[in-house]
Amino acid sequence: MNRSALRTAMIAIGVSLLIVYVAAAVLVYELVVFLVRSPPNLATALVTVGAMTVLGAYFSYRFGTRQLLAGLDAVEIDRRHAPELFRRLERLQSSMDVDRPRVVVARLGVPNAFALSGIGSGVIVFDLSLFRMLTPDEQEAILAHELAHLERYDALVQTVAYSALRTLVGLVMIPLLPLLLAVTGIARGWAWIRGRPDVWNRNPLMLVYQWVSLGVTVLVVGLTMLIRAHSRRRELAADDRAIEVTGRPLALARALRKIQRAGERERGLLATLYVRGDEDGPLTRLLSTHPPMDDRIDRLLDRAGTDPLSGHRIPVE
């Protein structure tokens, strides 16, 4: 293909891109105008948004949980495999408002446990090494902590919160989409027409795209921080509930210390599920789903008080 033919082809591609993007922008704009001029009543809108949120959360939890457990190659156990653990589970369950959960074991990379709550019974996942590393009392403390999450449906609430966040971002993006399509189409089409398709994102119009993207990102990060802050509060509440039903804050403190030390030696791929908080900096803390482990252990030590014979703080070493 000679230079003239190549130039003509690039111009044709640029014009085509411009037409397609602008046409799409106009169609979306007309849809937005239609919705503004003929809005559904408030009740219908709220029901629709609520249904989208609930359905999104349901499918995310239903299939996400199944895929997670399948990816972990988790194996369900019963009383025959761990009679002492299930004896303690029954005792805890009788003191808590929670249905009997399934207990599965897996190799998570580091010692850890987490709960997946849903409608009805939930699932508690134990890393296999916890049975070797923790004493029976420490295992019971971790079990009580996870049962506390199931009691309050914490995992399900978090799933619904993230589903609501996705729905909200989608609603925000709908009126912005015509502008973003038009800006992108003009930038890409003009770049092809100029014969420099690789620099389309350097068009001054893309500043509009970048500012809109920044605004949406700030919204997402801000709401995510709120969800993560709620998650951290629920972790502390689960600690409190665990020592309320077991009466042994030191057992939970010792279990968390052992998990922390094992996690420092080797971190696996499921860091977001670990019963610890990363402590690399302020931003990391804000985005962490768990409080710093040292803070949790200090709270437990405060609840335990001091040794009445020596007057010193009881160690967890």
Side-chain angles (χ1 to χ4, degrees):
M1 182 181 294
N2 59 42
R3 189 177 186 84
S4 177
L6 177 61
R7 187 80 181 93
T8 301
M10 296 184 74
I11 292 174
I13 293 173
V15 172
S16 299
L17 284 172
L18 185 58
I19 292 173
V20 170
Y21 272 92
V22 172
V26 171
L27 288 175
V28 176
Y29 174 77
E30 291 296 333
L31 175 61
V32 172
V33 170
F34 173 78
L35 293 175
V36 171
R37 290 178 177 174
S38 305
N41 61 62
L42 181 59
T44 302
L46 292 177
V47 169
T48 301
V49 172
M52 291 171 58
T53 299
V54 171
L55 286 175
Y58 172 78
F59 286 111
S60 177
Y61 173 80
R62 185 80 174 179
F63 297 105
T65 299
R66 185 179 302 173
Q67 290 177 355
L68 174 61
L69 294 177
L72 294 176
D73 196 21
V75 177
E76 185 170 356
I77 62 172
D78 56 27
R79 181 181 291 274
R80 294 172 301 172
H81 304 97
E84 178 64 18
L85 182 73
F86 277 84
R87 183 181 68 81
R88 291 173 182 259
L89 173 60
E90 290 178 355
R91 186 174 66 192
L92 291 171
Q93 185 186 355
S94 66
S95 303
M96 305 176 75
D97 184 19
V98 60
D99 294 329
R100 170 69 67 85
R102 295 166 52 205
V103 179
V104 303
V105 297
R107 297 183 184 277
L108 302 179
V110 299
N112 184 36
F114 59 90
L116 300 171
S117 58
I119 304 301
S121 61
V123 180
I124 295 179
V125 181
F126 266 77
D127 182 72
L128 191 60
S129 65
L130 292 181
F131 294 95
R132 179 186 69 255
M133 185 179 69
L134 302 182
T135 66
D137 284 349
E138 292 165 356
Q139 291 177 21
E140 181 180 2
I142 292 296
L143 188 61
H145 174 94
E146 302 307 334
L147 285 173
H149 283 308
L150 295 180
E151 189 177 40
R152 297 293 183 89
Y153 298 99
D154 286 337
L156 185 60
V157 169
Q158 290 288 305
T159 302
V160 172
Y162 281 112
S163 179
L165 173 59
R166 289 191 295 269
T167 301
L168 177 60
V169 172
L171 293 175
V172 170
M173 288 300 297
I174 288 175
L176 295 174
L177 190 55
L179 174 63
L180 297 179
L181 286 171
V183 167
T184 304
I186 293 172
R188 293 178 69 93
W190 182 244
W192 275 93
I193 292 171
R194 292 178 58 203
R196 302 183 63 188
D198 56 326
V199 296
W200 68 272
N201 55 354
R202 299 179 191 175
N203 190 299
L205 283 177
M206 289 305 294
L207 287 175
V208 176
Y209 188 101
Q210 293 169 5
W211 278 107
V212 171
S213 298
L214 178 61
V216 174
T217 300
V218 169
L219 173 65
V220 172
V221 171
L223 294 177
T224 299
M225 285 184 176
L226 291 177
I227 296 173
R228 297 294 176 87
H230 176 266
S231 176
R232 292 193 296 273
R233 287 195 297 269
R234 296 314 307 155
E235 287 300 319
L236 298 179
D239 286 346
D240 293 340
R241 181 64 170 144
I243 62 177
E244 178 184 341
V245 295
T246 63
R248 288 189 291 270
L250 285 181
L252 182 55
R254 290 191 179 103
L256 294 180
R257 181 67 80 193
K258 290 178 180 180
I259 291 172
Q260 179 190 38
R261 288 177 173 172
E264 290 172 350
R265 289 194 297 269
E266 179 181 2
R267 297 184 179 182
L269 298 177
L270 301 174
T272 57
L273 298 175
Y274 293 159
V275 290
R276 62 168 174 80
D278 289 324
E279 304 170 37
D280 299 326
L283 182 59
T284 303
R285 292 195 180 202
L286 287 174
L287 293 175
S288 176
T289 58
H290 290 65
M293 190 70 87
D294 287 337
D295 291 353
R296 293 175 64 188
I297 293 172
D298 286 343
R299 289 181 77 254
L300 293 168
L301 292 178
D302 289 338
R303 293 290 296 271
T306 57
D307 186 334
L309 296 179
S310 64
H312 295 107
R313 182 186 288 271
I314 301 175
V316 297
E317 306 300 332

